Amino acid sequence: MPSSRSALDRTGRVAIGSIAVAAAVLGLKYAAYLTTGSVALYSDALESIVNVLTGMVALAAILVSARPPDKNHPFGHTKAEYVSAVIEGALIIVASLLIFREAYEALIEPRPLKDVAQGLGLNGLATALNGLWSWFLISRGRAWRSPALAADGWHLLTDVATSIGVFVGFALAAVTGWTILDPVIAIAVAINILWAGYRITLSSMSGLMDESVDAEIQERIRHAIKASGEGALEAHDIRTRRAARATFIEFHLVVPGAMTVEAAHAICDRLEAALEAEIEGSEVVIHVEPEHKAKRKGALRL
Ligand code: ZN
Ligand code: ZN
């Protein structure tokens, strides 16, 4: 894969950018919490600590997953990204538990809110910064097929959504003097964070469990085999799995039993080239069989 080195450079740069943005957002949101004493703003700030930590985990994973295949890891190191996303999910769940605890204390002993306007200004600025960065991460994560990057982006986007809710709720609590609203908002934020952690963990798990590529890509694979399989009789047992940027494709190719190895190998090379051109980052393994191995059901006629 000739692009792996440049992929390291750009995703590595993005990961460093994420850490810098998260640190700036953390500073602003924590200042908003210290200014106001609001548990809701505390919950918002705590998410940013998670972002700084997971940014570092993600950077480490990107550095590992960009390493080319070696003797001990002949399929490459791309699954490190899924491991990073699972750790991120776990950290998000821990953050939600910390917020539950703080909110519980504030529920028992309500705290007065101070310097509301200043707190709102600091928190709003941080949220705008996060919004811009999450949009950037999601679009890059999709374009580069990096689940860790996309997971970071989606997580940040849930921050933005909840931050807007926190912003409005905190303003309401301050204006009405109904301080119980403050820990109630924090609990709502914690539930939301818990849900995001669950989703990120689950989607990374399916990557670790070798889930097939989605139906649209499977159809493109079948189409490419059909278009370039001239000379062979059929293809069957097509199996796919994905590890971040890499897509592994394997199948059985039935050829006339009397065909020379030379000719069968030429068909295989043609199919491999066609698939690698159609599916970016694909690695193809073909098992050649004589015609009596042909299947009646589920085979792709060529
Ligand atoms: Zn077979
Ligand atoms: Zn060969």
Side-chain angles (χ1 to χ4, degrees):
M1 283 196 290
S3 65
S4 67
R5 184 134 288 275
S6 65
L8 161 68
D9 292 345
R10 67 194 180 188
T11 49
R13 274 202 302 272
V14 169
I16 291 164
S18 281
I19 296 166
V21 169
V25 167
L26 169 62
L28 287 168
K29 287 188 171 176
Y30 202 75
Y33 156 63
L34 287 181
T35 306
T36 59
S38 157
V39 191
L41 295 191
Y42 167 78
S43 71
D44 214 25
L46 207 63
E47 274 237 272
S48 308
I49 296 179
V50 173
N51 293 348
V52 175
L53 287 174
T54 55
M56 289 171 177
V57 173
L59 179 61
I62 286 164
L63 293 175
V64 173
S65 73
R67 295 213 316 242
D70 57 30
K71 211 171 143 206
N72 296 330
H73 304 93
F75 294 100
H77 302 80
T78 47
K79 283 203 175 178
E81 290 200 11
Y82 292 117
V83 176
S84 147
V86 169
I87 294 171
E88 172 165 2
L91 284 174
I92 292 168
I93 290 165
V94 170
S96 73
L97 298 179
L98 287 176
I99 297 164
F100 279 127
R101 195 187 64 183
E102 193 72 14
Y104 174 73
E105 281 170 15
L107 272 177
I108 290 171
E109 203 178 323
R111 305 161 186 184
L113 304 172
K114 12 168 235 214
D115 296 324
V116 171
Q118 201 189 336
L120 285 176
L122 289 167
N123 186 269
L125 189 63
T127 300
L129 197 60
N130 260 351
L132 280 172
W133 193 251
S134 67
W135 168 79
F136 178 76
L137 287 180
I138 291 167
S139 70
R140 291 306 86 195
R142 273 190 188 143
W144 301 341
R145 270 204 267 148
S146 166
L149 213 58
D152 280 353
W154 284 110
H155 168 218
L156 256 193
L157 201 65
T158 65
D159 281 15
V160 172
T162 55
S163 290
I164 292 167
V166 166
F167 188 93
V168 172
F170 169 76
L172 215 63
V175 168
T176 60
W178 202 33
T179 45
I180 196 102
L181 204 55
D182 191 48
V184 169
I185 293 162
I187 289 168
V189 171
I191 291 169
N192 208 334
I193 296 170
L194 200 61
W195 175 240
Y198 169 75
R199 269 188 39 210
I200 288 169
T201 309
L202 198 71
S203 76
S204 310
M205 286 294 189
S206 30
L208 284 174
M209 292 294 123
D210 284 338
E211 199 174 59
S212 289
V213 298
D214 58 44
E216 183 256 325
I217 294 174
Q218 284 189 45
E219 198 43 51
R220 272 164 60 198
I221 290 168
R222 294 173 73 86
H223 200 265
I225 294 171
K226 223 173 162 57
S228 303
E230 207 196 325
L233 301 171
E234 69 166 46
H236 62 244
D237 293 353
I238 303 169
R239 296 195 299 171
T240 58
R241 65 191 176 90
R242 167 173 279 184
R245 286 181 297 273
T247 301
F248 298 97
I249 305 166
E250 57 178 73
F251 58 92
H252 298 183
L253 186 73
V254 178
V255 299
M259 184 181 265
T260 62
V261 173
E262 185 95 48
H265 181 250
I267 297 170
C268 289
D269 274 357
R270 201 169 65 218
L271 282 166
E272 283 168 20
L275 284 167
E276 277 156 23
E278 175 69 25
I279 312 290
E280 196 208 343
S282 63
E283 299 200 16
V284 185
V285 176
I286 305 171
H287 172 78
V288 174
E289 294 173 331
E291 58 216 275
H292 73 267
K293 289 282 194 177
K295 282 192 170 176
R296 273 170 220 282
K297 271 187 177 170
L300 181 66
R301 304 247 150 246
L302 300 172

